[in-house]
Amino acid sequence: MPQEHPKGSRGWSAARKGIWSRLRFTSLRLRLVVVFGLVALTAAVSASGIAYWLNREAVLTRTQDALLGDFEQEMQNRAGALPERPTQEELQYTAVQMANSSQRFSVLLIAEDPQDRTVYGSSGGLSGFSLQDVPVSLREAVNERQEITSTNKYAYHLYWQRIVDGNTPYLVAGTRTIGGGPTGFMLKSLEPEAKDLNSLAWSLGIATGLALIGSALLAQALATTVLKPVQRLGVAARRLGEGKLDTRLRVSGTDELADLSRTFNKAAEALEKRVDDMAARDEASRRFVADMSHELRTPLTAITAVTEVLEEELEFEGGGIDPMIEPAVRIVVSETRRLGDLVENLMEVTRFDAGTARLVLDDVDIADQITACIDARAWLDAVELDAERGIHARIDPRRLDVILANLIGNALKHGGSPVRVSVREESGDEGGDGDGRSGGAGGAEAGAGDVTDDGADSGTGTGGGGGGTVTIEVRDQGPGIPEDVLPHVFDRFYKASASRPRSEGSGLGLSIAMENAHAHGGEITAANAPGGGAVFTLRLPRDISALMEEDTEGTEDARERTGGTSGKAGGGKGGNRRENAEGDAR
């Protein structure tokens, strides 16, 4: 569009729209760098855009004003001196003279000669600046006669327009001579100014890039400063979770991160004190149970001797006991035996809690061991054994006997006969399936620090050197175990029926069996068979010697990882007790 100078409105405007997509970052450092980069980029682009626009307008306005002023002056001085109807030669001469001004622009003059013919005078000759190079809209604006008013003293004005031809910008202007005369047009290339503006744009772009790089480096430095305390806090929290309760953070400064470090230190200190107190109480309670069990053995030995005499009198055919007190004597004998079993169980539990339980390993034929356990307790008529001879394992025979006696006895007591005991051996790959942890890291940890071979033969024997696991399954014919009872069958002192608190069991048998299984690096699981009845499955590694050697070498490291507090809680068994509790919960 042609624009009037100097009162015409300018036709240049620009608009920028940004489309942002939501990005999700998992790294706080990356987010800080991106945010700083965006802020710096926005600021740099805004500043560069404003600077470019101001410089562009200043350069173009200055050049444009100089060109239009010179052209207007030339039109008044030279074109105004021409006759009203000049000849072709006069127009051509005047156009050349006007083009030789200080601004060096191309000139085109149009007029009517004395014969009423339209003649042209161009500073570039026939191949120079012509009327076709002038936009139609500009020609129409130049030739349009304006009404003369009090505010408009001239019928014709000077108009200008910027055009682009072949990627080269030009300024085109035109006006008519006041008082009659030729119409003049001017054409000037703005390529030097465009090159200057391009150089300015490149400079501003480079400055924007440097600002962006600088902001990224600054954000990286700031992120390192901010995130280093957070990283230290994360490391300290992990150490605290590993049991190192003496972990503390070095506090420096008075900012929010320093306050967070102080809060963490106070929380860690309070947690350490609480754990120490709990460990002390736990140790005191274990010591009390151990001392109580030990002290009860002395009077219980005397009572047991008396009850044995009474029991012999009851069995004597001569009738040495008054029939009126015979039921009471039988109750005393039964309860004394029950009290003895309870004391022995409490002492066994205390050994496990204190970490003093030991394994005496030997190469055992599993079928022979089960047969011996059944025969010693006169269960041959109530138990069906499905086990082949020749399945060997290197275990503690006495503790295996305790496990089998508890599982089979529990099945006979609550499920009824016949109880079926089956044995199978599994390879190393199969041993890790199911709920069992035999041969796994959990079993290895369960034996750490409390499993040693007291004088047992270290040879491989007949079959103990093989890998894999031995699985012993005890199944009864009873109604099964209620679903709400299953998670608690291995809990200490737990009884399924609250209405029979004085039942023959102490509630420690299955718990002791589980502890013995853990000591071997094995596991016991309880479930209900699809056809009815409860199923207890014992899985033991065939050879625990290798695990014991690894655990003995790593005992000190394990104690350091669990911290001094774990040592107080269980004599080096703190970490293992947590694993056992997890197994019992299952």
Side-chain angles (χ1 to χ4, degrees):
M1 286 290 296
Q3 300 184 26
E4 182 178 355
H5 177 78
K7 298 181 180 180
S9 61
R10 307 186 184 277
W12 183 88
S13 63
R16 292 186 176 94
K17 293 182 180 180
I19 301 175
W20 295 84
S21 59
R22 294 182 179 179
L23 301 176
R24 298 182 63 184
F25 301 105
T26 58
S27 171
L28 182 58
R29 182 186 302 273
L30 179 60
R31 281 183 282 177
L32 283 174
V33 172
V34 170
V35 169
F36 266 76
L38 290 177
V39 171
L41 182 62
T42 302
V45 169
S46 300
S48 299
I50 293 173
Y52 178 79
W53 181 78
L54 292 176
N55 281 275
R56 178 180 182 276
E57 289 301 312
V59 170
L60 293 179
T61 301
R62 182 174 62 251
T63 303
Q64 176 180 289
D65 290 344
L67 287 171
L68 295 178
D70 194 16
F71 175 65
E72 188 175 16
Q73 186 68 31
E74 291 293 328
M75 285 293 295
Q76 291 178 1
N77 294 337
R78 298 186 182 275
L82 289 172
E84 186 175 352
R85 290 179 177 274
T87 61
Q88 172 77 36
E89 292 76 11
E90 292 175 334
L91 281 178
Q92 185 69 32
Y93 177 78
T94 303
V96 172
Q97 292 296 318
M98 292 174 61
N100 291 329
S101 67
S102 59
Q103 297 298 328
R104 298 292 179 180
F105 44 71
S106 299
V107 177
L108 174 65
L109 296 178
I110 304 174
E112 292 184 356
D113 63 3
Q115 288 78 30
D116 293 332
R117 293 178 303 179
T118 302
V119 293
Y120 300 90
S122 176
S123 60
L126 295 178
S127 61
F129 182 32
S130 64
L131 190 60
Q132 285 73 25
D133 298 326
V134 180
V136 177
S137 57
L138 181 62
R139 282 183 270 168
E140 293 176 352
V142 169
N143 293 321
E144 183 179 359
R145 182 180 178 86
Q146 303 289 332
E147 183 179 357
I148 298 176
T149 61
S150 59
T151 57
N152 183 29
K153 300 180 180 180
Y154 304 105
Y156 299 99
H157 296 273
L158 174 65
Y159 293 91
W160 60 271
Q161 187 174 349
R162 295 174 192 160
I163 62 174
V164 177
D165 185 14
N167 296 326
T168 303
Y170 291 93
L171 177 65
V172 183
T175 186
R176 295 191 65 169
T177 305
I178 299 174
T183 301
F185 293 97
M186 177 270 295
L187 178 68
K188 175 63 176 179
S189 173
L190 299 178
E191 186 174 5
E193 289 74 13
K195 290 182 178 180
D196 293 341
L197 292 176
N198 287 336
S199 299
L200 176 62
W202 274 104
S203 300
L204 293 176
I206 294 173
T208 301
L210 294 176
L212 184 60
I213 295 174
S215 66
L217 296 177
L218 180 61
Q220 176 71 15
L222 182 61
T224 301
T225 304
V226 173
L227 295 180
K228 186 174 290 185
V230 178
Q231 189 177 16
R232 287 200 298 264
L233 181 61
V235 173
R238 284 193 294 271
R239 290 170 59 86
L240 198 65
E242 293 171 356
K244 300 177 181 178
L245 302 181
D246 58 343
T247 302
R248 298 293 185 273
L249 289 172
R250 184 177 69 256
V251 181
S252 59
T254 58
D255 56 4
E256 289 80 359
L257 292 175
D259 292 339
L260 180 61
S261 300
R262 293 189 186 93
T263 303
F264 175 85
N265 289 340
K266 292 179 181 178
E269 184 178 356
L271 179 62
E272 183 180 19
K273 185 177 183 303
R274 180 67 61 86
V275 172
D276 287 342
D277 293 343
M278 293 177 62
R281 288 195 295 267
D282 188 50
E283 176 65 19
S285 64
R286 280 201 303 270
R287 189 181 300 112
F288 170 75
V289 173
D291 294 344
M292 181 190 67
S293 301
H294 181 74
E295 293 298 329
L296 283 176
R297 294 188 68 179
T298 301
L300 186 59
T301 302
I303 295 174
T304 302
V306 173
T307 56
E308 288 177 354
V309 174
L310 293 176
E311 190 174 13
E312 291 177 358
E313 289 294 330
L314 288 173
E315 296 175 354
F316 183 64
E317 294 181 356
I321 299 295
D322 188 345
M324 295 295 293
I325 64 173
E326 181 178 344
V329 172
R330 292 187 181 278
I331 292 176
V332 169
V333 171
S334 175
E335 292 299 318
T336 301
R337 187 178 293 112
R338 179 170 178 267
L339 180 60
D341 292 340
L342 178 60
V343 171
E344 291 297 328
N345 288 339
L346 285 175
M347 294 189 68
E348 186 72 5
V349 168
T350 303
R351 292 189 192 99
F352 280 114
D353 288 346
T356 58
R358 297 290 183 266
L359 294 183
V360 181
L361 301 183
D362 195 5
D363 292 320
V364 175
D365 188 301
I366 301 298
D368 290 345
Q369 184 69 24
I370 298 175
T371 302
C373 174
I374 296 173
D375 185 53
R377 293 163 179 81
W379 289 340
L380 289 175
D381 295 336
V383 178
E384 298 178 356
L385 179 60
D386 180 16
E388 297 181 358
R389 293 180 56 84
I391 301 178
H392 291 265
R394 186 167 180 79
I395 57 177
D396 187 330
R398 184 184 70 83
R399 295 194 179 277
L400 178 60
D401 183 77
V402 172
I403 298 173
L404 294 172
N406 277 292
L407 294 181
I408 299 174
N410 185 75
L412 289 171
K413 183 187 303 181
H414 299 288
S417 61
V419 173
R420 183 178 180 83
V421 181
S422 59
V423 180
R424 67 179 184 273
E425 54 182 339
E426 298 176 350
S427 64
D429 295 336
E430 296 173 350
D433 298 338
D435 295 331
R437 296 185 303 173
S438 55
E445 292 179 6
D450 63 347
V451 183
T452 56
D453 190 349
D454 295 340
D457 185 9
S458 60
T460 59
T462 58
T469 61
V470 175
T471 301
I472 303 174
E473 191 176 273
V474 179
R475 177 175 179 177
D476 61 44
Q477 304 299 321
I481 305 174
E483 293 298 329
D484 59 331
V485 176
L486 271 177
H488 307 286
V489 292
F490 297 104
D491 293 351
R492 295 177 183 177
F493 300 105
Y494 182 80
K495 295 182 179 181
S497 178
S499 62
R500 295 190 300 166
R502 291 185 55 80
S503 61
E504 294 183 5
S506 63
L508 290 174
L510 291 178
S511 175
I512 292 175
M514 178 67 82
E515 294 288 356
N516 280 294
H518 285 168
H520 285 84
E523 180 68 276
I524 305 176
T525 58
N528 289 316
V535 180
F536 287 84
T537 304
L538 168 66
R539 291 183 176 87
L540 296 176
R542 294 188 62 184
D543 189 357
I544 196 178
S545 302
L547 296 176
M548 290 171 54
E549 292 176 0
E550 294 177 1
D551 295 337
T552 302
E553 294 175 357
T555 300
E556 295 301 326
D557 295 337
R559 289 178 180 174
E560 291 180 2
R561 286 196 302 270
T562 55
T565 304
S566 299
K568 297 177 184 177
K573 284 277 289 181
N576 300 333
R577 300 304 311 143
R578 287 195 293 273
E579 171 131 356
N580 293 340
E582 180 184 353
D584 295 345
R586 290 199 296 269

